[in-house]
């Protein structure tokens, strides 16, 4: 461990911990004081998913199946459902209905945990308090973290990385089994984010593990004496990660998500000119309300770019830029022993994020496992910020101890030429939007501040003066990040924009009350109505999960493939054009609409004004404007039906097979499915079914039939569902193209559908499916 100032073992950890906590609280207050919340996916998606999970747990059910989303959705397999995020799972038992700002605080608490871990890292490295505060503040609020705080799953995985890294090092250095177990838990939580950023974070953890073993005294001796600890870390992570990951891979194989071609992924490359935002936060208007800015993005580079300013933002503090360019690159300290892994990771992450502008990403997309599953190379900017945070702490510590570095001519030339070229090209790019003057002014202002900081750092000659100066600059950098990056236009909107999800009021309350009042009059027996919302703003897309309405649509890029193909619910139904009416679901009057029990339509305009024409005589208006038009479908079918007339046919193409659906009481069964009963060609003289108990993961039915029959539940067929008839397990058939059916003998019967995704049978089938899919590639 490094020592400084008389050989002391570094500062007391309580000081930087307290300051970092204060910085985090000050950042949180940027939202709370102005009644702002982290917007978009944070609320429309993740908050809604959390509310569903918490309500399911509070009701005594499992949250593995979500009936309020796309007519039924396998939450157990969805990376964005939060049900395997242990902090959220524990919180669901305590606070099932958090306020919007409380949800934000809980998410951002993951960043605070990471900031604390960096402080302990700094303590172990002998960093002064100022260095740890700088590193932790950058980690919590820098660049892409600020721009993309709405991506809850990414933020949580990112926030846990320093904790996992710290536990890994403790486990190996101290041969601690408890630290190893802690690492297994935290690392598996990172991996269970199941997106590109967790994938990259896990790769960096593996690299850090290998580097630590290689750097230890006596490589083979370390492996031998730490064998048990290493086994706990490895096996524990696999055991905790494998089951949910297997379900996700199963879902991907059955989902609407096609393979992502590299050409599509490259559209999300991080343009090199966006490095200018690392030097000057607003050089491209990133922090200006009412504008998407004038830097490289999807609006200014149409056809070659699909990013926006939140993806491209990289400001981590003025001091950070100076230290990295001067002390790190020009002074050569970035390559000094002890920081080389992070330096290499920074270079690789930057090359990865640049996508089309370097050969690194395309090569990894082709050859590295997992990379081709995702579509945004600019996700790697999270790792860029992570590496900058660690490097900045180390550079600040080195400066306090040793002063400014000797300048290397090569490094100075690289930095000088790079700054001149970057400034010139940034102004030129901004000129295409008539913003050259504004971009130039921002660059000049940033260079003046950088020059003043450089003078101050150079003027401090003693270790004591450098410590005092860096302490002041650490607080200044933290304040700069709080004021610029917290509660900005990149990550904040008025809480009122999402009031529906917390406490509906005004017109939103009228809409909800209209549906609930009418639903209370007509629900019962075999009926459970569904709803579709089209044209209303983003908070309505997944509001059904919070309000308890079973919806045909929602907001999620992952959907069951057969459902998506047949129904075409779309992902962006805040715009009516995002609702894709296909040949299999041509209108709200079609056969599938009735089978899906669509009773209520909530539209932003009269149904007669929709782009696709519908038989308006079949819909009774319940509410007519001004915010929404609510209609009741008078042709809705029951949720559960019983039939003794079965039609068997070959179903090779879902789109064409929809013509086989009839309205004469028959149930369609694929000829590939084996029937165990003989059915008459006539309707049973006595057959009825009703729902006796309904939970999100379990449905109980009471059946009476005078002849063998098929019970059909109009909910999507999906692996993991099991059926029992009078307590005896029966196979579930995919009937009427995408619904669940089970055969029952004559008589009075009890039928139970239960979702058990972690059953041995389903896990075995999932593993076989994944292996078969891999073998065919």
């Amino acid at each position: 461990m490094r020592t400084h100032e008389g050989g002391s073992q570094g500062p007391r950890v309580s000081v930087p911990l307290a300051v970092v906590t204060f910085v985090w609280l000050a950042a949180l207050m940027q939202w709370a004081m102005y009644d702002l919340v982290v917007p978009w996916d944070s609320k429309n998606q993740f908050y809604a998913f959390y509310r569903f999970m918490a309500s399911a747990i509070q009701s005594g059910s499992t949250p593995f199946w979500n009936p309020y989303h796309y007519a039924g959705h396998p939450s157990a397999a969805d990376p964005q459902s939060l049900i395997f995020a242990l902090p959220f799972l524990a919180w669901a038992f305590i606070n099932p209905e958090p306020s919007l700002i409380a949800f934000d605080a809980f998410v951002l608490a993951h960043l605070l945990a990471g900031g604390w871990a960096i402080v302990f890292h700094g303590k172990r490295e002998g960093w002064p308090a100022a260095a740890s505060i700088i590193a932790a503040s950058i980690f919590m609020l820098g660049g892409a973290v600020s721009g993309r705080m709405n991506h809850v799953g990414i933020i949580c995985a990112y926030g846990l990385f320093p904790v996992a890294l710290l536990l890994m090092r403790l486990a190996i250095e101290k041969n601690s089994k408890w630290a190893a177990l802690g690492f297994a838990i935290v690392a598996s939580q990172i991996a269970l984010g199941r997106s590109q950023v967790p994938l990259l974070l896990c790769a960096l953890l593996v690299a850090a593990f290998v580097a630590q073993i290689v750097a230890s005294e006596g490589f083979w001796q370390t492996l031998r004496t730490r064998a048990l600890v290493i086994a706990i870390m490895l096996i524990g992570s696999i055991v905790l990660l494998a089951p949910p990951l297997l379900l996700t891979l199963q879902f991907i194989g059955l989902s609407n998500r096609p393979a992502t071609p590299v050409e599509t992924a490259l559209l999300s490359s991080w343009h090199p000119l966006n490095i200018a935002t690392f030097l000057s936060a607003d050089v491209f208007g990133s922090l200006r309300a009412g504008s998407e800015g004038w830097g490289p993005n999807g609006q200014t580079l149409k056809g070659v770019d699909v990013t926006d300013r939140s993806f491209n933002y990289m400001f981590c503090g003025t001091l950070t830029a100076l230290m990295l360019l001067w002390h790190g690159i020009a002074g050569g300290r970035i390559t000094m022993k002890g920081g080389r892994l992070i330096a290499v990771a920074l270079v690789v992450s930057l090359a990865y994020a640049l996508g089309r502008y370097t050969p690194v990403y395309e090569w990894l997309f082709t050859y590295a496992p997992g990379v081709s599953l995702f579509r945004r190379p600019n996700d790697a900017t999270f790792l860029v910020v992570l590496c900058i945070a660690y490097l900045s702490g180390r550079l600040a510590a080195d400066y306090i101890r040793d002063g400014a570095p000797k300048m290397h001519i090569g490094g100075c030339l690289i930095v000088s030429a790079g700054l001149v070229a970057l400034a010139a090209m940034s102004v030129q790019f901004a000129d295409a939007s008539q913003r050259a003057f504004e971009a130039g002014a921002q660059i000049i202002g940033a260079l003046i501040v950088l020059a003043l900081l450089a003078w101050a750092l150079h003027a401090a000659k003693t270790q004591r003066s450098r410590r005092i100066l860096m302490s002041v600059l650490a607080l200044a950098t933290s304040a700069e990040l709080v004021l610029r990056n917290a509660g900005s236009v990149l990550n904040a909107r008025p809480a009122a924009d999402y009031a529906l999800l917390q406490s509906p009021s005004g017109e939103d309350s009228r809409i909800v009350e209209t549906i609930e009042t009418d639903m209370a009059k007509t629900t019962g027996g075999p009926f459970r109505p569904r709803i579709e919302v089209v044209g209303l703003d983003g908070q309505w897309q997944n509001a059904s999960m919070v309000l308890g309405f079973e919806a045909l649509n929602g907001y999620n890029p992952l959907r069951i493939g057969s459902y998506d193909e047949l129904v075409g619910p779309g992902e962006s139904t805040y715009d009516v054009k995002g609702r894709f009416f296909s040949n299999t679901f041509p209108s709200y009057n079609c056969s599938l609409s009735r089978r899906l029990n669509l009773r209520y339509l909530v539209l932003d305009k009269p149904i007669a004004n929709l782009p696709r024409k519908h038989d308006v005589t079949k819909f009774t208006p319940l509410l007519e404007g001004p915010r929404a038009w609510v209609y009741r479908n008078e042709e809705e079918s029951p949720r559960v039906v019983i039939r003794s007339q079965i039609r068997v046919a070959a179903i090779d193409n879902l789109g064409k097979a929809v013509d086989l659906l009839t309205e004469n009481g028959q149930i369609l069964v694929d000829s590939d499915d084996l029937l165990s009963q003989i059915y008459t060609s006539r309707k049973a003289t006595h057959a009825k079914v009703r729902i006796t108990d309904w939970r999100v993961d379990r449905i109980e039915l009471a059946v009476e039939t005078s002849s063998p029959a098929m019970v059909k539940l109009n909910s999507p067929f999906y692996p993991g569902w099991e059926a029992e008839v009078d307590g005896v397990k029966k196979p579930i058939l995919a009937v009427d193209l995408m619904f669940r059916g089970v055969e029952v003998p004559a008589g009075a019967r009890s039928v139970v559908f239960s979702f058990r995704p972690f059953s041995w049978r389903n896990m075995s089938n999932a593993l076989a499916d994944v292996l078969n899919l891999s073998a065919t590639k």
Side-chain angles (χ1 to χ4, degrees), residues 1-343:
M1 181 181 291
R2 290 177 178 163
T3 61
H4 52 87
E5 291 208 20
S8 66
Q9 292 296 306
R12 292 171 57 183
V13 77
S14 58
V15 174
L17 281 178
V19 174
V20 168
T21 303
F22 178 80
V23 170
W24 181 85
L25 287 170
L28 183 63
M29 291 305 294
Q30 301 305 301
W31 286 275
M33 285 192 305
Y34 303 104
D35 200 23
L36 302 171
V37 295
V38 179
W40 306 307
D41 287 9
S42 172
K43 300 300 173 291
N44 297 341
Q45 191 160 15
F46 291 99
Y47 179 78
F49 272 124
Y50 173 81
R51 288 287 301 272
F52 159 71
M53 175 179 72
S55 66
I57 290 172
Q58 293 288 326
S59 70
S61 300
T62 65
F64 299 145
W65 183 263
N66 186 344
Y68 307 114
H69 197 51
Y70 292 109
H73 183 77
S75 292
D78 191 340
Q80 301 172 107
S81 66
L82 298 178
I83 62 175
F84 295 112
L86 295 181
F88 287 95
L89 187 61
W91 197 36
F93 287 92
I94 301 169
N95 190 3
E97 298 181 9
S99 66
L100 299 175
I101 188 63
F103 183 78
D104 286 343
F106 195 82
V107 172
L108 298 182
H110 290 72
L111 296 178
L112 178 60
W116 285 344
I118 287 178
V119 169
F120 282 106
H121 170 86
K123 171 68 176 179
R124 288 168 52 77
E125 293 292 316
W127 291 357
S132 295
I133 292 167
I134 289 172
S137 297
I138 295 168
F139 171 82
M140 294 189 298
L141 297 169
V145 181
S146 167
R148 298 178 63 187
M149 279 184 176
N150 60 303
H151 292 264
V152 169
I154 293 177
I155 292 294
C156 292
Y158 170 86
L160 292 176
F161 178 88
V163 180
L165 184 63
L166 182 65
L167 288 168
M168 181 193 73
R169 290 178 171 171
L170 286 171
I172 295 175
E173 290 175 10
K174 297 182 178 298
N175 202 14
S176 170
K177 301 177 183 64
W178 288 110
L181 180 60
F183 169 82
I185 294 171
V186 177
S188 64
Q189 286 289 288
I190 294 172
L192 283 173
R194 289 166 285 180
S195 65
Q196 185 165 217
V197 174
L199 174 69
L200 298 175
L201 291 172
C202 288
L204 184 54
L205 277 177
V206 171
F209 171 79
V210 172
Q212 185 164 356
I213 295 295
V214 170
S216 63
E217 295 182 7
F219 175 75
W220 295 110
Q221 177 73 4
T222 300
L223 287 180
R224 186 181 65 81
T225 58
R226 305 299 195 269
L228 179 58
V229 162
I230 293 172
I232 292 173
M233 295 166 65
L234 179 61
I235 297 173
S237 300
I238 293 174
V239 168
L240 292 170
L241 174 62
L245 183 60
L246 190 58
L247 292 181
T248 298
L249 293 174
Q250 180 188 48
F251 184 28
I252 289 175
L254 298 170
S255 75
N256 62 306
R257 186 167 185 170
T260 301
V262 68
E263 293 78 13
T264 299
L266 291 175
L267 292 174
S268 295
S269 300
W270 196 60
H271 195 284
L273 284 185
N274 284 309
I275 295 174
T277 63
F278 179 65
L279 301 171
S280 175
D282 210 31
V283 62
F284 291 134
S286 302
L287 300 179
R288 304 194 184 189
S291 168
E292 279 300 318
W294 49 84
N297 58 46
Q299 293 186 347
T300 56
L301 292 173
K302 294 180 179 179
V304 295
D305 196 310
V306 295
T307 65
D308 58 41
R309 59 181 174 175
S310 65
F311 284 88
N312 297 326
Y313 188 71
M314 192 46 70
F315 186 71
C316 295
T318 308
L319 176 67
T320 307
L322 176 65
M323 294 292 288
L324 187 61
L325 293 174
W326 175 17
H327 292 194
I329 299 175
R333 284 183 175 169
I334 196 173
T335 60
M336 290 179 65
K337 186 177 180 181
R340 290 171 186 165
L341 173 65
I342 295 297

